[in-house]
């Protein structure tokens, strides 16, 4: 038996295709668009960078809480996520990701608005780069960030997935 800490992964089907989830015992740390076979090279590289010498172990039970909350989200029954998140990135990236979590379900913000909310109005491009490096799409709603002109600019999973996520949120917006 290895003394290396374990990083767990599992896969789920969703309306936007397969998703691969990576978690530690303390929280979810990575979500990849695609099945395990497609995602594993990215997961291995990311794990080497951020978790040093961890073992990567398939364990559907460890990622079951994430799958459950994602299922509820896609069914329109969940408007925010309660999962503990393990965020690995620069302080600026983590600040951007925390700001993205504040964008309400069913709403959008421009990159410029996100930068302004962070009191970093001139950092629009840096906000875009941090958005692009988001390790937990959907859970940290980078899909809610759009171009200043309202266009659905870039998304790691593809603009079609971004559009789908925004549509289901508009369809299932919580009425206060």
């Amino acid at each position: 038996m290895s003394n290396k800490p374990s990083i767990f992964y599992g896969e789920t089907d969703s309306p936007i295709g397969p998703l691969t989830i990576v978690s530690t015992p303390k929280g979810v740390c990575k979500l990849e668009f695609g099945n395990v076979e497609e995602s594993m090279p990215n997961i291995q590289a990311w794990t080497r960078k951020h978790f040093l010498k961890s073992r990567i172990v398939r364990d559907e039970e460890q990622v079951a809480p994430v799958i459950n909350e994602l299922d509820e989200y896609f069914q329109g029954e969940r408007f925010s996520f309660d999962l503990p998140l393990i965020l690995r990135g620069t302080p600026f990236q983590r600040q951007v990701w925390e700001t993205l979590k504040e964008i309400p379900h069913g709403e959008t913000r421009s990159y410029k608005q996100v930068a302004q909310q962070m009191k970093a109005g001139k950092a629009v491009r840096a906000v875009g780069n941090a958005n692009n490096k988001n390790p937990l799409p959907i859970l940290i709603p980078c899909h809610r960030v759009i171009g200043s002109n309202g266009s659905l600019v870039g998304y790691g999973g593809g603009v079609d997935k971004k559009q789908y996520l925004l549509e289901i949120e508009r369809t299932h917006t919580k009425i206060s």
Side-chain angles (χ1 to χ4, degrees):
M1 178 128 190
S2 172
N3 288 335
K4 293 180 185 180
S6 295
I7 303 293
F8 305 103
Y9 71 93
E11 181 181 329
T12 188
D13 288 324
S14 80
I16 57 172
L19 301 171
T20 300
I21 299 142
V22 181
S23 185
T24 74
K26 294 183 179 180
V28 61
C29 52
K30 185 108 175 103
L31 189 146
E32 285 273 328
F33 295 106
N35 62 34
V36 168
E37 292 76 26
E38 297 165 342
S39 301
M40 192 51 69
N42 290 340
I43 291 168
Q44 289 170 331
W46 184 85
T47 301
R48 277 192 302 274
K49 180 176 180 180
H50 296 291
F51 287 96
L52 303 172
K53 301 199 183 273
S54 298
R55 303 182 300 134
I56 304 172
V57 179
R58 186 166 194 142
D59 189 332
E60 305 293 336
E61 190 173 310
Q62 287 287 331
V63 299
V66 184
I67 292 170
N68 183 53
E69 288 199 16
L70 284 167
D71 287 345
E72 291 171 354
Y73 168 81
F74 284 116
Q75 293 168 17
E77 299 167 358
R78 176 170 290 279
F79 304 99
S80 62
F81 295 94
D82 300 323
L83 302 158
L85 307 180
I86 307 295
L87 295 176
R88 302 293 177 123
T90 67
F92 183 80
Q93 287 172 332
R94 289 194 311 270
Q95 182 184 6
V96 170
W97 301 333
E98 290 299 328
T99 303
L100 298 179
K101 288 172 21 182
E102 296 173 17
I103 302 172
H105 181 91
E107 295 184 20
T108 58
R109 301 289 184 271
S110 70
Y111 293 96
K112 182 177 182 178
Q113 288 172 315
V114 172
Q116 289 170 335
Q117 183 176 341
M118 295 172 53
K119 310 283 190 256
K122 295 187 186 273
V124 175
R125 185 166 286 179
V127 165
N129 287 334
N131 202 52
N132 185 18
K133 300 283 186 201
N134 176 9
L136 293 167
I138 306 171
L139 304 176
I140 297 176
C142 56
H143 60 277
R144 296 179 189 156
V145 183
I146 60 173
S148 292
N149 64 359
S151 64
L152 300 183
V153 294
Y155 188 62
V159 175
D160 59 326
K161 287 180 176 59
K162 182 175 194 163
Q163 183 172 1
Y164 182 87
L165 294 169
L166 292 172
E167 298 267 331
I168 64 166
E169 287 188 8
R170 286 186 189 113
T171 302
H172 299 289
T173 300
K174 183 165 73 173
I175 299 170
S176 310

